[in-house]
């Protein structure tokens, strides 16, 4: 979800959830490339090696999308 437009509430909840999972501990980021607007795509791992990307999808704060087909809401 985005932090503006029709998905603003979901986007802000997603942002807050991610912020709650981050601490002052280091994270690891595996950079996967860039998307069509030049934003970096990657996987974020916490200090225990847990994928925060997967956690957000599993908890309903994000959806998996390969960039093809209709954009999920």
């Amino acid at each position: 979800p985005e932090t503006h437009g029709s998905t603003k509430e979901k986007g802000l909840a997603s942002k807050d959830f991610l912020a709650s999972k981050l601490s002052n501990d280091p994270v690891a980021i595996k950079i996967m490339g860039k998307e069509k607007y030049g934003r970096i795509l990657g996987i974020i791992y916490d200090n225990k090696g847990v994928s925060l990307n997967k956690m957000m999808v599993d908890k309903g704060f994000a959806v998996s999308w390969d960039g093809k087909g209709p954009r999920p809401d």
Side-chain angles (χ1 to χ4, degrees):
E2 300 287 343
T3 56
H4 59 275
S6 64
T7 61
K8 182 177 180 175
E9 286 185 35
K10 288 181 181 180
L12 294 174
S14 178
K15 177 182 168 186
D16 290 344
F17 177 79
L18 180 58
S20 77
K21 297 301 174 191
L22 298 174
S23 63
N24 290 328
D25 295 325
V27 296
I29 302 172
K30 180 179 180 183
I31 296 174
M32 307 299 289
K34 291 185 178 183
E35 46 89 274
K36 67 180 181 179
Y37 298 109
R39 294 179 285 202
I40 296 172
L41 301 173
I43 303 171
I44 303 171
Y45 297 95
D46 69 10
N47 63 338
K48 296 176 186 169
V50 175
S51 166
L52 297 179
N53 302 56
K54 182 175 180 337
M55 181 186 298
M56 291 186 69
V57 170
D58 291 348
K59 299 282 186 182
F61 289 102
V63 292
S64 181
W65 183 46
D66 63 4
K68 298 175 184 159
R71 184 174 154 175
D73 290 330

